Amino acid sequence: MDNLDAIFHYSSSATSPTAAISSHLSLNMSNHYSLADHHSNKSRYMSSYDQSDDDHDLRLIGENRNGFSDNNIFVGDRVSPTTNSFSTCDGSGELNTENKLNVKKGEKKIRKPKYAFQTRSQVDILDDGYRWRKYGQKAVKNNKFPRSYYRCTQQGCNVKKQVQRLSKDEGVVVTTYEGMHTHPIEKSTDNFEHILTQMQIYSSC
DNA sequence: CGGATTTGACCAGCGC
DNA sequence: GCGCTGGTCAAATCCG
């Protein structure tokens, strides 16, 4: 687990888990970029988010301590090369103009870490305080639910996230963040209390 | 009318 | 080399 340098624990006193995650990720992701070359280029993590299996590419790095155990945070860096359409490895968030893959010929591909957390929720989109624009949706193998692709709408900020509901457990939503926000959170985090309340209601069903 | 979403096409990587 | 899959693009469409 040499790719882990952040473990998230947050208690019920935290203003919001998603805000805490977003904040932590924004602050810490740059630390992971240098680790990106440690791993192979596969993207098979898409097939499973099972935290019990060390072989999977998204690894459990923390879990919610606020009473509903289904909210887990994962970290991984198996980013498909095709996702390297932007480069914020220097923290600038500026688009690399090389090409779609953001890789010069002959250069080693730059992979970005991904951070995912799964939440038991009836709603797919959890408000994390940032504004997102959907740019794609794909059917996923072995999953009856599609995966949605979102980009941060803030100009110059190229953070992406993927949202997918688990086929084997329809109540679980996996949100995967990729990149580092180059701007402060846009919305009040008061909203998260509402989301939390919602999640607690649903999780008790 | 402008911004957001949908959706089919396209491309690259990987495994066989 | 080819097929499969994931990820992105962009035109069309939707919606406030």
Side-chain angles (χ1 to χ4, degrees):
Chain A
M1 292 306 154
D2 57 354
N3 64 329
L4 302 183
D5 63 1
I7 298 177
F8 300 99
H9 296 294
Y10 41 95
S11 67
S12 57
S13 62
T15 54
S16 85
T18 46
I21 292 163
S22 295
S23 173
H24 276 82
L25 295 189
S26 296
L27 290 171
N28 293 331
M29 270 189 162
S30 58
N31 297 331
H32 289 273
Y33 291 132
S34 61
L35 300 170
D37 285 341
H38 292 176
H39 301 283
S40 69
N41 199 26
K42 296 176 182 176
S43 57
R44 60 189 166 83
Y45 80 92
M46 294 299 180
S47 63
S48 177
Y49 289 92
D50 186 353
Q51 78 263 28
S52 65
D53 186 343
D54 282 345
D55 231 13
H56 291 138
D57 300 329
L58 286 178
R59 298 178 174 87
L60 177 66
I61 60 172
E63 66 181 297
N64 196 341
R65 305 296 191 198
N66 64 5
F68 37 110
S69 60
D70 286 317
N71 297 339
N72 297 326
I73 308 168
F74 298 83
V75 62
D77 58 9
R78 306 286 177 88
V79 178
S80 169
T82 59
T83 66
N84 291 325
S85 57
F86 62 95
S87 175
T88 56
C89 292
D90 58 356
S92 69
E94 293 298 320
L95 271 171
N96 184 314
T97 56
E98 273 303 321
N99 58 27
K100 191 175 177 179
L101 289 179
N102 214 14
V103 177
K104 287 180 182 176
K105 283 181 181 176
E107 272 192 4
K108 203 163 186 178
K109 299 182 192 75
I110 301 167
R111 289 180 299 275
K112 300 166 68 61
K114 286 183 176 179
Y115 300 79
F117 62 95
Q118 64 178 44
T119 305
R120 185 170 293 280
S121 171
Q122 298 286 18
V123 293
D124 289 344
I125 306 301
L126 300 177
D127 191 345
D128 54 12
Y130 293 98
R131 293 185 64 238
W132 302 91
R133 182 176 62 81
K134 189 174 184 176
Y135 68 91
Q137 177 173 297
K138 287 288 289 187
V140 182
K141 191 184 176 185
N142 297 325
N143 196 326
K144 63 183 176 183
F145 300 106
R147 177 182 300 138
S148 296
Y149 299 89
Y150 297 86
R151 234 192 281 272
C152 184
T153 59
Q154 184 73 23
Q155 195 169 19
C157 180
N158 294 291
V159 175
K160 288 183 275 192
K161 76 172 179 180
Q162 301 174 8
V163 177
Q164 180 177 7
R165 191 171 288 277
L166 291 185
S167 187
K168 64 181 180 183
D169 187 348
E170 302 185 7
V172 174
V173 175
V174 178
T175 304
T176 305
Y177 288 91
E178 178 184 343
M180 185 172 69
H181 288 287
T182 60
H183 56 96
I185 200 162
E186 297 185 18
K187 298 181 190 172
S188 165
T189 57
D190 292 345
N191 225 2
F192 295 118
E193 293 300 337
H194 175 62
I195 297 294
L196 262 181
T197 304
Q198 277 188 316
M199 289 160 60
Q200 286 173 314
I201 290 171
Y202 290 130
S203 65
S204 64
C205 291

